[in-house]
């Protein structure tokens, strides 16, 4: 009898065992004479995968041959010897196909019977073990610039079938990562290194912090002062994007000759020579100052302050009008003092209250040497005349034995090097008549210098090679002393002149349609900063001149303003960077300016070149003393304000030197005489229809 057993998965109709996808099928036959014909096992050649919850069917088809009939047995509920035996199938478990007219019938549901067809499953092979997690050996990493470190990833479980991982960096400009997990610091900042498994997309990450330590510190400023004069020194910290603490500590070698405050302001005291030292972190810089004879002492001004002050009508100058020195000394708050009040204007502050670490007003000279020092390459001392290009090109078959031996150092055993042809006309490089098969480099004969590769002259080689005299450019195997341009090797892109790598060149190049930045002969593809040529100073970003850049940039000479990629020495105004808004004059950040500005329709307060948007207090210009709130003149403010010279009365934003009356603050009511608190007055005062009793300027009743 013939049979066919089929397996279907994913049934779409539970009443049709053949409504799914045919996954496997096995056919065969057995004889009715077999003793075990009532129980037949059919094993499939390949395993069939059935997902959890999926409806599947096992279908057996039988066909008799030669007049044989097919007899099917089924189980049913019956009673044997008084014992009830229920072998019935559940609905949708046992079907029979009678003919096309009846189709499939659910015997388990209608007849409570179950045909003796049983399906058994067996896992013939264990599935691959899936990845459950991945763990890094470190989750935080701190590196210095250009430092590298290996991260390792553990894929779990240990018997996972696929342990392949993928490494990525959130910011490759800060930290790069190879597919082997090697992290390399590229720039200051933070980046997240992530490892992800191919199987399951499991992840773990490590936060990398890259620091740029201070490498150098320099002091700029005058080298000579007269006794009694003052001057501000500035400091340049390199690299400019260091992540170290840039707090500078100033000291003087002799405070009797000159004193220096922590803002770099030097006060010359007496004749002599003194060393001013600036320290940032572990780095120090020294600056020698020569103090000459004292300058004549200026006389004290007695100019009376005007009581009629107009509002500003024009841009104030950078200098302020000096008031008299007879104003009362500053106090933290009004006290019961007996100090005589003055009717004169308050004295302007003698110096900015804050200073910056960079202060220079000198514009860079276009002809000045760039900031980065160059290393001068050693020119050949022997080969310049020997490598002159001959009048005839080598024919690859020179007929004469070369006379010139390479400039190899002598050893204890004399070795004779030479180039010559073998019997087949191939040029080789010989050492004591034996081909130097392990030699790769340069060699010369009477026809010039040639590139040797594994002991043979390589007439197809074009590129770089070096000897004790420098790096040289070869074209078709021969030294090309006419080559001018760029060449590459595994270390980068380099600038060649007259066939030799020009280590002495630092500046700008335009080999095609791009201006590139070169330092010590190497093209710096990651350089961002300033560079100069005969046409001016320019702004570079990622190694290329950025003609679209408008904004601020700095070098060791100060902070500068660029317009469309070029230094604009005519720019006067404000510019922004991530640290704030700054005041520029003649294209340079003016760290020396402290005062008032009106760039548009608002008067702003500037200290050491920076616009202080949060400043609340007093400031002076040619038109008077003004009250600032949140960095701008408050023209509606009427009340009291204090500076180091006393308490003052403001009317509509300006000191009212004509005001005599009562003013109030959080400490009480106070008697003002000609614009300032009269701490020396005790008595009575009539105003606003009432009498005030005053003691030492304070209203007590």
């Amino acid at each position: 009898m013939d049979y066919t057993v089929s397996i279907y998965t994913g049934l779409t109709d539970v009443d049709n065992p053949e409504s799914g996808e045919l996954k496997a099928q096995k056919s065969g036959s057995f004889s009715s004479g077999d003793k075990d014909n009532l129980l037949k096992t059919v094993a499939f050649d390949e395993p069939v995968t059935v997902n959890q919850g999926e409806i599947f069917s096992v279908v057996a088809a039988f066909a008799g041959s030669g007049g044989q009939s097919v007899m099917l047995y089924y189980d049913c509920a019956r009673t044997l010897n008084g014992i009830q035996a229920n072998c019935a199938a559940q609905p949708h478990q046992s079907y029979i196909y009678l003919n096309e007219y009846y189709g499939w019938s659910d015997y388990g549901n209608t007849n409570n019977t179950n045909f003796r067809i049983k399906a058994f499953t067996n896992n013939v092979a264990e599935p691959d073990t899936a990845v459950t997690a991945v763990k890094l050996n470190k989750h935080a990493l701190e590196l210095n610039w250009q430092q590298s470190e290996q991260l390792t990833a553990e894929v779990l479980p240990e018997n996972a079938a696929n342990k392949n991982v993928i490494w990525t960096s959130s910011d490759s400009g800060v930290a790069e990562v190879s597919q082997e997990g090697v992290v390399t610091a590229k720039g200051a900042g933070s980046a997240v290194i992530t490892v992800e498994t191919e199987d399951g997309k499991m992840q773990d990450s490590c936060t990398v912090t890259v620091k740029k330590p201070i490498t150098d510190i320099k002091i700029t400023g005058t080298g000579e002062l007269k006794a009694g004069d003052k001057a501000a020194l500035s400091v340049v910290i390199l690299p400019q994007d260091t992540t170290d603490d840039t707090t500078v500590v100033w000291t003087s070698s002799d405070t009797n000759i000159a004193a220096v405050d922590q803002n770099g302001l030097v006060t010359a005291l007496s004749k002599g020579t003194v060393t001013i030292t600036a320290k940032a972190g572990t780095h120090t810089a020294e600056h020698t100052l020569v103090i000459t004879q004292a300058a004549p002492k200026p006389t004290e001004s007695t100019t009376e302050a005007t009581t009629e002050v107009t509002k500003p009508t024009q841009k104030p100058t950078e200098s302020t009008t000096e008031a008299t020195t007879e104003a009362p000394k500053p106090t933290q708050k009004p006290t019961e003092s007996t100090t005589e009040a003055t009717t004169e204007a308050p004295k302007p502050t003698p110096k900015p209250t804050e200073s910056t670490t960079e202060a220079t007003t000198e514009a860079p000279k276009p002809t000045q040497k760039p900031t980065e020092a160059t290393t001068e390459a050693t020119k050949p001392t022997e080969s310049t005349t020997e490598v002159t290009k001959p009048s005839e090109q080598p024919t690859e078959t020179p007929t004469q034995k070369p006379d010139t031996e390479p400039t190899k150092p002598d050893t204890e055993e004399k070795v004779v090097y030479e180039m010559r042809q073998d019997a087949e006309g191939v040029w080789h490089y010989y050492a004591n008549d034996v081909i130097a098969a392990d030699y790769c480099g340069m060699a010369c004969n009477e026809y010039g210098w040639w590139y040797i590769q594994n002991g043979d002259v390589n007439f197809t080689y074009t590129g770089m090679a070096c000897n004790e005299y420098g790096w040289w450019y070869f074209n078709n195997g021969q030294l090309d002393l006419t080559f001018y341009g760029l060449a590459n090797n595994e270390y980068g892109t380099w600038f060649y002149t007259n066939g030799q790598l020009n280590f002495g060149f630092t500046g700008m190049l335009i080999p095609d349609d791009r201006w590139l930045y070169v330092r010590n002969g190497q093209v710096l593809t990651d350089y961002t900063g300033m560079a100069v040529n005969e046409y001016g100073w320019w702004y570079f970003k990622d190694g290329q001149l950025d003609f679209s850049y408008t904004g601020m940039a700095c070098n060791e000479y100060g902070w500068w303003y660029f317009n469309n990629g070029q230094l604009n020495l005519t720019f006067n105004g404000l510019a922004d960077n991530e640290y704030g808004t700054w005041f520029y004059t003649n294209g340079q950040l003016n760290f020396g300016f402290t005062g008032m500005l009106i760039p548009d329709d608002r008067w702003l307060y500037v200290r050491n070149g920076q616009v202080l948007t949060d400043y609340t207090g007093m400031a002076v210009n040619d038109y008077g003393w003004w009250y600032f709130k949140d960095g701008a003149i408050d023209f509606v403010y009427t009340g009291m304000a204090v500076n180091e010279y006393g308490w003052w009365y403001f009317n509509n934003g300006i000191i009212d030197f004509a005001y005599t009356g009562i003013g109030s603050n959080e400490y009480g009511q106070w008697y003002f005489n000609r614009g300032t608190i009269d701490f020396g007055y005790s008595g009575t005062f009539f105003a606003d229809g009432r009498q005030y009793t005053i003691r030492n300027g304070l209203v007590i009743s």
Side-chain angles (χ1 to χ4, degrees):
M1 183 172 58
D2 299 325
Y3 68 86
T4 300
V5 181
S6 306
I7 298 178
Y8 297 86
T9 63
L11 301 187
T12 59
D13 184 0
V14 297
D15 293 323
N16 184 357
E18 294 178 309
S19 64
E21 180 182 359
L22 179 63
K23 287 290 189 177
Q25 197 170 68
K26 184 74 176 246
S27 298
S29 62
F30 55 89
S31 172
S32 61
D34 294 343
K35 293 180 178 180
D36 61 347
N37 64 351
L38 296 179
L39 181 61
K40 188 71 174 180
T41 301
V42 179
F44 285 83
D45 299 326
E46 298 290 337
V48 178
T49 301
V50 181
N51 297 321
Q52 185 176 359
E54 185 178 16
I55 300 175
F56 72 100
S57 66
V58 180
V59 179
F62 302 93
S65 61
Q68 286 182 316
S69 62
V70 178
M71 184 178 291
L72 298 178
Y73 292 88
Y74 59 82
D75 297 321
C76 63
R78 54 184 175 170
T79 302
L80 297 174
N81 298 323
I83 300 174
Q84 181 78 23
N86 191 351
C87 304
Q90 298 297 317
H92 310 304
Q93 287 189 349
S94 184
Y95 287 77
I96 187 170
Y97 190 92
L98 297 175
N99 54 43
E100 293 180 0
Y101 177 79
Y102 290 100
W104 287 98
S105 297
D106 187 354
Y107 262 48
N109 186 40
T110 60
N111 298 296
N112 199 31
T113 59
N114 184 25
F115 290 99
R116 298 185 182 184
I117 302 174
K118 305 292 184 181
F120 300 91
T121 61
N122 182 33
N123 292 328
V124 295
E126 291 291 330
D128 292 338
T129 303
V131 172
T132 60
V134 61
K135 294 183 179 180
L136 287 173
N137 63 318
K138 293 184 178 181
H139 294 93
L141 187 61
E142 188 174 286
L143 299 174
N144 287 331
W145 181 54
Q146 295 184 332
Q147 187 180 357
S148 297
E149 186 160 333
Q150 175 76 58
L151 291 179
T152 58
E154 181 185 7
V155 179
L156 301 174
E158 291 185 0
N159 62 339
N162 184 356
K163 291 192 174 185
N164 294 332
V165 296
I166 300 170
W167 297 85
T168 58
S169 171
S170 65
D171 190 345
S172 58
V174 174
E176 284 184 348
V177 62
S178 71
Q179 289 310 303
E180 290 73 38
V182 178
V183 180
T184 302
K186 291 294 186 179
S190 294
V192 177
I193 304 300
T194 301
V195 62
E196 182 179 79
T197 62
E198 286 186 352
D199 180 12
K201 304 299 181 182
M202 303 296 175
Q203 291 184 348
D204 200 6
S205 61
C206 174
T207 300
V208 179
T209 303
V210 178
K211 296 184 175 182
K212 269 195 173 182
I214 295 173
T215 59
D216 196 11
I217 179 174
K218 301 177 181 178
I219 299 175
T220 62
T222 184
E224 183 175 326
L225 285 175
K226 291 182 178 180
D229 289 347
K230 296 183 178 182
L233 299 178
S234 61
V235 66
V236 177
I237 297 175
L238 299 175
Q240 294 165 348
D241 58 345
T242 179
T243 57
D244 285 354
D245 184 1
T246 56
T247 301
V248 178
V249 178
W250 296 87
T251 56
S252 170
S253 63
D254 192 339
T255 55
N256 294 319
I257 298 175
V260 60
D261 68 11
Q262 293 311 301
N263 299 312
L265 182 66
V266 177
T267 302
L269 301 174
S270 62
K271 186 177 181 180
T273 300
V274 66
T275 300
I276 304 298
T277 302
K279 182 177 181 181
T282 60
H283 292 265
T284 60
E286 295 183 345
H287 184 79
T288 301
L289 267 177
V290 178
I291 312 300
T292 60
Q293 71 275 8
K297 187 177 180 180
T299 58
E300 295 185 356
S301 174
T302 57
T303 304
E304 289 285 333
T306 180
T307 58
E308 297 183 5
V309 183
T310 59
K311 291 183 180 181
T313 57
Q314 61 182 20
K315 186 175 181 181
T317 62
E318 295 180 13
S319 63
T320 59
T321 304
E322 185 100 358
T324 72
T325 59
E326 298 181 3
K329 297 292 183 179
T331 57
Q332 293 297 318
K333 64 182 181 77
T335 59
E336 297 183 2
S337 170
T338 58
T339 305
E340 283 293 325
T342 180
T343 59
E344 299 184 4
K347 196 175 180 181
T349 56
K351 65 177 181 69
T353 58
E354 296 179 9
S355 182
T356 64
T357 59
E358 300 179 57
T360 179
T361 57
E362 241 180 36
K365 299 176 181 179
T367 58
Q368 203 161 2
K369 195 173 183 180
T371 63
E372 299 84 2
T374 62
T375 303
E376 190 170 348
T378 304
K379 295 184 178 179
T381 58
E382 300 180 20
S383 64
T384 53
T385 58
E386 296 179 3
V387 299
T388 308
K389 203 169 182 180
S391 58
E392 58 179 4
Q393 194 76 353
T395 60
E396 301 189 16
T397 57
T399 58
Q400 298 181 11
K401 182 178 179 179
D403 298 324
T404 306
E405 294 181 358
T407 55
K408 295 275 186 176
D410 292 334
T411 59
E412 295 181 1
E413 181 181 352
K414 185 65 175 181
V415 181
V416 178
Y417 298 93
E418 63 178 351
M419 297 167 54
R420 67 172 186 265
Q421 291 175 292
D422 61 15
E424 286 75 30
V426 179
W427 281 86
H428 302 290
Y429 185 63
Y430 293 85
N432 289 342
D433 292 326
V434 178
I435 296 175
D438 58 345
Y439 179 71
C440 293
M442 301 170 53
C444 71
N445 65 4
E446 66 265 38
Y447 300 106
W449 284 84
W450 305 90
Y451 185 76
I452 310 298
Q453 186 174 17
N454 298 327
D456 297 335
V457 178
N458 187 346
F459 291 100
T460 64
Y461 178 75
T462 296
M464 303 169 56
C466 68
N467 65 2
E468 61 266 40
Y469 303 115
W471 283 84
W472 308 90
Y473 187 79
F474 284 76
N475 187 13
N476 292 327
Q478 187 174 21
L479 177 64
D480 185 359
L481 291 174
T482 66
F483 178 72
Y484 179 95
L486 303 179
N488 301 301
N489 66 0
E490 64 268 31
Y491 303 110
T493 301
W494 306 88
F495 175 53
Y496 277 75
T497 57
N498 297 324
Q500 186 176 20
L501 200 161
N502 191 346
F503 288 107
F505 180 79
T506 294
M508 303 166 54
L509 285 178
I510 183 169
D512 40 44
D513 58 345
R514 303 174 302 155
W515 283 93
L516 306 177
Y517 182 74
V518 180
R519 181 187 295 160
N520 299 330
Q522 184 176 19
V523 177
L524 298 188
T525 57
D526 59 348
Y527 176 72
T528 296
M530 300 170 56
V532 66
N533 66 3
E534 63 266 33
Y535 304 107
W537 285 85
W538 305 89
Y539 182 78
F540 278 75
K541 183 178 180 182
D542 297 331
Q544 298 184 36
L545 200 160
D546 186 354
F547 288 103
S548 66
Y549 179 73
T550 296
M552 303 169 56
C554 68
N555 64 3
E556 67 265 42
Y557 305 112
W559 282 85
W560 309 92
Y561 186 79
F562 285 77
N563 188 19
N564 293 328
Q566 186 173 22
L567 176 62
N568 184 357
L569 291 175
T570 65
F571 176 73
N572 295 288
L574 302 179
D576 300 308
N577 67 2
E578 63 268 32
Y579 303 110
T581 301
W582 305 87
F583 175 54
Y584 278 74
T585 55
N586 298 323
Q588 186 176 23
L589 200 161
N590 191 346
F591 289 109
F593 179 77
T594 295
M596 302 167 54
L597 287 177
I598 182 169
D600 40 45
D601 58 345
R602 298 185 309 150
W603 283 89
L604 306 176
Y605 181 73
V606 179
R607 181 184 293 158
N608 299 327
Q610 184 175 19
V611 177
L612 299 187
T613 57
D614 59 349
Y615 176 71
T616 296
M618 302 168 56
V620 67
N621 67 0
D622 293 342
Y623 305 102
W625 284 84
W626 303 88
Y627 183 77
F628 278 76
K629 184 178 180 181
D630 297 331
I633 290 181
D634 187 352
F635 288 103
V636 301
Y637 178 74
T638 297
M640 301 169 54
V642 66
N643 68 358
E644 62 265 47
Y645 303 107
W647 286 85
W648 308 93
Y649 190 82
F650 284 78
N651 189 8
N652 292 327
I654 191 169
I655 289 182
D656 186 355
F657 292 107
Y659 180 75
T660 297
I662 304 299
S664 304
N665 66 1
E666 63 267 34
Y667 304 113
Q669 291 182 296
W670 304 88
Y671 173 67
F672 281 81
N673 184 11
R674 298 186 67 181
T676 187
I677 293 180
D678 190 349
F679 292 107
Y681 180 75
S682 296
T684 59
F685 178 74
F686 292 89
D688 304 322
R690 60 167 289 189
Q691 177 176 300
Y692 296 87
T693 302
I694 299 164
R695 181 183 297 162
N696 295 330
L698 177 66
V699 176
I700 59 175
S701 65

